[in-house]
C-alpha cells in the first residue's frame, strides 16, 4: 500500500482495494494502521476523493534503535561480498539512511565503517548474481517449481552434444541458506525422489514455471544441519598454495559438517570418505587432517605425506609438564 500511495497523488478506495485484492474494510483498517505508525495518509473527500500521501513521505519514519542501526550498517557493508553488483547501491543506501537518521543513530552508524578483507581460512564463493537470487527466492516464497541445469565449476553451461550435458530437471525449491559465504538451495527432485542441497551459483535457472507444488517435510526438520552435513552439495576445492587429499575412517556427513570452507568431501562407503582440502602450507593441511582425530590413509601427494610424518615426530616428542602432572584424561 505504501508503494502504491507513493506512485500517484490520489487513490479512490474501491480502486485501491481492487489493486491490492482485499476488501474496502481491510484498506480502511490498514490506512489507520499506517497513520498510527506516523505515515501521513490523507483522506480526500468528495466524488473524486480517496487517499493520498501527505507531505514528507519520501521515506518512512526510521524507528531504529541503536542496535538495529548497527545491524543495518553491517548488513549493507557486508552484502556486496556475497551478492554481485551491490557495492555502489549498498553504499548509496547507507548514505541515504544516514541523512535521515537522528543524530544519535547517525553517530552510531558512522562509528562502524568496515573494510572487507579476504578471509584466509574460509574461502567464500564468488558473489552471486542478484537476478538468480530474485528468481530463486520468488520460487521458494511462492512454492513454484523450477527447471534447473548444473553449471560446470567455471560457471559455464554444458550444451547438447557435450559429454557432461544433462537435460533440465524439475526441482521443488523449499529453502535458501547462506553458509561460509556460499548460497545454497535446499530442494526436492521428484524424478529422483530425493532431497538435495545445491550451490546456487552452480545452478542455471530457467525462466519461472509458475507451477505450484505442495510443501514437504525436510528429513530431520533442521535445514541448517541438512546443508552442513550434506557432502555432495556442489562445493569445489578453493585455490590454495597446497592442496591434498586423504581417506578418513569417518562417515561423509560427519566430515562434511566440520570440514573448512573450500574443501570437498566424497562419500566412499558408510564408514569411509575422502576429503580434498588446502592450506597455506603442507603442515597446515596436515594439521587440519589431525583435527578430525580419526584413522586416515591414501594420503596424497607425497609432500603431504612428508608433512604428516614431520608433525608426527614432533608430537611424539611432546612430554608432560612434569612426571607428576595431573592432566585430565582424554574424552
Amino acid at each position: 500500500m505504501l508503494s502504491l500511495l507513493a506512485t500517484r497523488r490520489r487513490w479512490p478506495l474501491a480502486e485501491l482495494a481492487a489493486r491490492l485484492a482485499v476488501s474496502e474494510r481491510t484498506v480502511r483498517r490498514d490506512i489507520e494502521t499506517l497513520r498510527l505508525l506516523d505515515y501521513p495518509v490523507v483522506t480526500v473527500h468528495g466524488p473524486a476523493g480517496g487517499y493520498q500521501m501527505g507531505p514528507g513521505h519520501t521515506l518512512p519514519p526510521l524507528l531504529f534503535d541503536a542496535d538495529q542501526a548497527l545491524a543495518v550498517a553491517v548488513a549493507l557493508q557486508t552484502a556486496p561480498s556475497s551478492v554481485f553488483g551491490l557495492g555502489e547501491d549498498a553504499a548509496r543506501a547507507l548514505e541515504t539512511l544516514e541523512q535521515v537518521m537522528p543524530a544519535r543513530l547517525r553517530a552510531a552508524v558512522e562509528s562502524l565503517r568496515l573494510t572487507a578483507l579476504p578471509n584466509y581460512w574460509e574461502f567464500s564463493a564468488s558473489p552471486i548474481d542478484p537476478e538468480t537470487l530474485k528468481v530463486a527466492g520468488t520460487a521458494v516464497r511462492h512454492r513454484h517449481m523450477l527447471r534447473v541445469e548444473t553449471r560446470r565449476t567455471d560457471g559455464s553451461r554444458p550444451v547438447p552434444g557435450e559429454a557432461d550435458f544433462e537435460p533440465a530437471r524439475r526441482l521443488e525449491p523449499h529453502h535458501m541458506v547462506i553458509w561460509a559465504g556460499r548460497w545454497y538451495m535446499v530442494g526436492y527432485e521428484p524424478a529422483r525422489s530425493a532431497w538435495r542441497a545445491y550451490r546456487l551459483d552452480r545452478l542455471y535457472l530457467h525462466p519461472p514455471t509458475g507451477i505450484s507444488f505442495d510443501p514437504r517435510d525436510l528429513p530431520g526438520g533442521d535445514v541448517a544441519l541438512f546443508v552442513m552435513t550434506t557432502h555432495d552439495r556442489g562445493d569445489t576445492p578453493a585455490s590454495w598454495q597446497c592442496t591434498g587429499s586423504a581417506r578418513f575412517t569417518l562417515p561423509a556427513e560427519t566430515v562434511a559438517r566440520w570440514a573448512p570452507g573450500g574443501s570437498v568431501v566424497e562419500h566412499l562407503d558408510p564408514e569411509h570418505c575422502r576429503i580434498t582440502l588446502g592450506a597455506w602450507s603442507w603442515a597446515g593441511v596436515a594439521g587440519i587432517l589431525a583435527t578430525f582425530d580419526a584413522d586416515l590413509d591414501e594420503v596424497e601427494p607425497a609432500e603431504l605425506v612428508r608433512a604428516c610424518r614431520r608433525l608426527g615426530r614432533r608430537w611424539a616428542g611432546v612430554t608432560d609438564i612434569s612426571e607428576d602432572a595431573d592432566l585430565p584424561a582424554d574424552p
Side-chain angles (χ1 to χ4, degrees):
M1 185 181 291
L2 280 173
S3 62
L4 292 177
L5 290 172
T7 58
R8 66 191 233 190
R9 186 161 185 80
R10 187 174 303 163
W11 281 90
L13 174 61
E15 190 175 346
L16 192 57
R19 181 67 178 270
L20 296 171
V22 298
S23 66
E24 294 184 4
R25 178 180 178 182
T26 297
V27 171
R28 293 192 183 96
R29 183 191 62 201
D30 290 345
I31 289 291
E32 291 305 314
T33 300
L34 291 177
R35 287 169 174 165
L36 290 174
L37 294 172
D38 293 331
Y39 290 91
V41 183
V42 177
T43 301
V44 180
H45 299 283
Y51 297 100
Q52 67 184 44
M53 193 70 77
H57 65 274
T58 303
L59 282 177
L62 296 174
L63 306 178
F64 295 149
D65 59 28
D67 291 338
Q68 290 172 322
L70 289 176
V72 171
V74 171
L76 287 173
Q77 293 180 79
T78 57
S81 66
S82 63
V83 181
F84 178 75
L86 288 189
E88 182 178 347
D89 291 335
R92 289 193 298 108
L94 184 59
E95 182 180 355
T96 300
L97 288 173
E98 290 177 353
Q99 290 175 355
V100 296
M101 281 181 175
R104 175 180 58 85
L105 293 186
R106 185 166 58 251
V109 170
E110 291 177 346
S111 69
L112 188 64
R113 289 295 186 184
L114 303 178
T115 300
L117 296 175
N119 189 329
Y120 293 108
W121 181 253
E122 299 285 354
F123 265 69
S124 299
S126 300
I128 200 164
D129 179 13
E131 186 61 27
T132 298
L133 284 182
K134 178 181 177 181
V135 172
T138 300
V140 170
R141 183 169 63 254
H142 295 296
R143 294 284 188 262
H144 285 171
M145 192 83 68
L146 284 173
R147 292 180 64 246
V148 304
E149 296 177 33
T150 302
R151 298 180 185 271
R152 298 188 179 101
T153 56
D154 62 1
S156 62
R157 177 186 168 199
V159 298
E162 295 181 331
D164 56 349
F165 171 77
E166 293 183 2
R169 58 193 185 278
R170 293 194 305 164
L171 169 65
E172 299 176 2
H174 282 74
H175 305 276
M176 288 178 60
V177 177
I178 184 168
W179 178 44
R182 294 165 172 81
W183 287 90
Y184 295 92
M185 176 181 287
V186 175
Y188 182 84
E189 285 195 33
R192 302 179 183 178
S193 300
W195 283 91
R196 293 283 306 277
Y198 310 85
R199 276 276 296 273
L200 195 53
D201 59 337
R202 295 287 307 282
L203 290 181
Y204 174 80
L205 306 183
H206 286 257
T209 66
I211 302 173
S212 300
F213 63 87
D214 295 328
R216 301 177 188 265
D217 293 329
L218 178 70
D222 188 332
V223 63
L225 184 62
F226 181 84
V227 171
M228 290 188 291
T229 57
T230 297
H231 66 276
D232 57 344
R233 53 185 176 240
D235 290 334
T236 54
S239 177
W240 286 98
Q241 294 94 323
C242 303
T243 300
S245 67
R247 189 183 76 142
F248 273 130
T249 306
L250 282 175
E253 58 268 22
T254 300
V255 176
R257 169 67 181 88
W258 302 108
S263 57
V264 175
V265 179
E266 177 188 0
H267 171 84
L268 299 177
D269 60 51
E271 297 181 354
H272 297 86
C273 68
R274 177 176 298 280
I275 183 172
T276 302
L277 73 164
W280 53 90
S281 68
W282 291 114
V285 179
I288 298 173
L289 294 177
T291 64
F292 287 91
D293 194 21
D295 293 336
L296 72 163
D297 56 16
E298 299 182 11
V299 178
E300 297 177 347
E303 292 87 346
L304 179 55
V305 175
R306 289 192 287 269
C308 290
R309 291 172 177 170
R310 285 196 301 272
L311 289 183
R313 290 192 295 269
R314 290 169 183 166
W315 291 332
V318 175
T319 59
D320 291 346
I321 299 173
S322 70
E323 291 292 335
D324 299 322
D326 185 15
L327 299 178
D330 290 337

